[in-house]
Amino acid sequence: MVELGSEIDKIVRMFGIPALTQFQKESIMHILKGENVLLISETGSGKTEAAVIPVLKLVKNKNPISVIYITPLRALNRDIFRRIVKIGKEIGLNIEIRHGDTPQHIRRQQLKDPPHFLITTPETFQILLVAPKFRMLLQNVVYIMIDEIHEFCGNKRGAQLSVGLKRLEKYADFKIIGLSATISEPEKVLNYFFNGKKVQIVINRRKKEKKVSVVIPRITKEVAAFSKEHEISLAIASKILTLIDLIDNRSTLLFTNTRPAAEMIATFLKKFGKIEIHHGSLSKEHREKVEKAFKEGALKGVIATSSLELGIDIGDLDLCILVGYPGTVVNTWQRGGRAGRGLDPSAVILVAGRDALDQY
């Protein structure tokens, strides 16, 4: 039995966690030892808590900008902030967000009274590195946390982030904590971001069982009568309606590969239940409203693009539907992993067919 101490127990209770899993205990233990860590565990397994809980304990009473938490999406920034800001206040840590949408007056305030824990994106992290006044604060950094670290592998954002981490070494002595649900080759991530540092890899061996069904939509007379121009989209929507009962308290997240497809399917399904749409072209206010309503159970279904693909906390889902193959196995399992409660079995339906895949 791993003894993590009374302070950790207190923070665990603040998160509302009844009991830590073995994966969480092992992760927390390595972070408390001051190691660089790569945490690999399925969506919904509590890896964010496993990373954040010990860091909150370790940076208590530390200097401003002790932690920089990097995510690939502003929506994920907001989600992480919502989940930990109250706990930070209770233990005396100021937690804030900074990215491209942050107003100028808040940026000035952050320079005047910098937070202990800053949540940001790779692009804003690069800007902070070259901002003379803010760069002076970066010497206080003791932890860089990179969420959804697989999203940065093998692309320009990842290359820039890797270079940024190397540049930060000139100013600060810090540890790196990486988190991911879909890494199959951890060594590649180590080479890309950890710059030869010794790293403890913690893998959750418990896998979520996914029950996958593949269905092919057909164009019925009713669908054809509704709209000749969008027969395929409507055929998919009609088929979805036979797979789920949005009125009977079932929580469903549906992914499409394009925004027009999401709009068309949402328009059709809104006639049958409390459905909303979520994608990057919509306002931040709308997206935040949808995320909150879905998590609270006010919506029975959300139609989304990749905007909800990553680890945003939108509560428990009964069903996840993928309209068409998203292009990679990683994206497929990332989306499908949103369904279920924790590591309970999840139900995933892939709506496919040659014509549907050509459309999307």
Side-chain angles (χ1 to χ4, degrees), residues 48-270:
T48 300
E49 290 78 5
V52 170
I53 286 170
V55 168
L56 291 179
K57 187 261 184 184
L58 291 169
V59 301
K60 187 178 179 181
N61 302 320
K62 291 284 187 179
N63 296 317
I65 315 296
S66 292
V67 184
I68 296 180
Y69 194 111
I70 298 171
T71 84
L73 293 175
R74 296 174 187 179
L76 191 51
N77 282 359
R78 294 192 297 272
D79 178 64
I80 296 297
F81 177 77
R82 284 194 297 263
R83 291 162 70 179
I84 67 175
V85 63
K86 290 183 180 178
I87 297 173
K89 287 180 180 178
E90 289 190 43
I91 63 175
L93 289 178
N94 183 17
I95 300 173
E96 294 187 19
I97 297 175
R98 180 162 178 151
H99 51 55
D101 289 338
T102 304
Q104 281 294 335
H105 73 277
I106 294 181
R107 298 184 191 188
R108 289 192 295 268
Q109 181 61 31
Q110 288 176 347
L111 187 58
K112 182 180 178 181
D113 183 20
H116 302 93
F117 192 120
L118 184 65
I119 304 170
T120 189
T121 58
E123 291 75 19
T124 298
F125 173 61
Q126 299 290 335
I127 294 171
L128 298 181
L129 279 169
V130 298
K133 293 182 179 179
F134 215 102
R135 189 171 58 208
M136 296 299 294
L137 296 169
L138 297 182
Q139 63 185 343
N140 298 330
V141 174
V142 290
Y143 285 101
I144 293 286
M145 306 178 74
I146 309 174
D147 208 346
E148 307 291 355
I149 196 169
H150 60 275
E151 284 289 309
F152 302 117
C153 292
N155 55 46
K156 290 181 180 179
R157 298 184 83 195
Q160 291 174 341
L161 178 55
S162 180
V163 171
L165 294 173
K166 193 66 178 177
R167 293 175 67 185
L168 183 60
E169 290 180 359
K170 294 182 179 180
Y171 308 103
D173 181 16
F174 59 92
K175 302 297 181 182
I176 299 176
I177 300 173
L179 300 89
S180 177
T182 55
I183 292 174
S184 59
E185 298 177 284
E187 295 75 18
K188 291 185 178 180
V189 176
L190 302 189
N191 294 334
Y192 213 79
F193 296 109
F194 287 85
N195 296 318
K197 301 175 187 286
K198 184 178 178 181
V199 182
Q200 180 65 47
I201 302 173
V202 185
I203 302 175
N204 191 353
R205 301 295 179 182
R206 184 185 170 191
K207 300 297 183 182
K208 177 186 284 189
E209 178 186 348
K210 299 181 181 68
K211 301 176 181 178
V212 181
S213 301
V214 180
V215 300
I216 300 174
R218 300 189 184 282
I219 300 173
T220 63
K221 292 181 179 179
E222 292 78 11
V223 166
F226 187 85
S227 172
K228 286 285 186 182
E229 184 181 355
H230 300 286
E231 283 182 342
I232 294 176
S233 293
L234 291 171
I236 291 172
S238 181
K239 184 63 178 180
I240 290 165
L241 208 55
T242 67
L243 298 170
I244 60 177
D245 186 351
L246 297 171
I247 300 173
D248 189 24
N249 297 318
R250 197 152 195 204
S251 176
T252 304
L253 177 59
L254 186 149
F255 287 102
T256 71
N257 295 332
T258 67
R259 292 169 185 172
E263 295 282 356
M264 189 64 207
I265 293 173
T267 300
F268 184 84
L269 290 181
K270 279 183 178 181

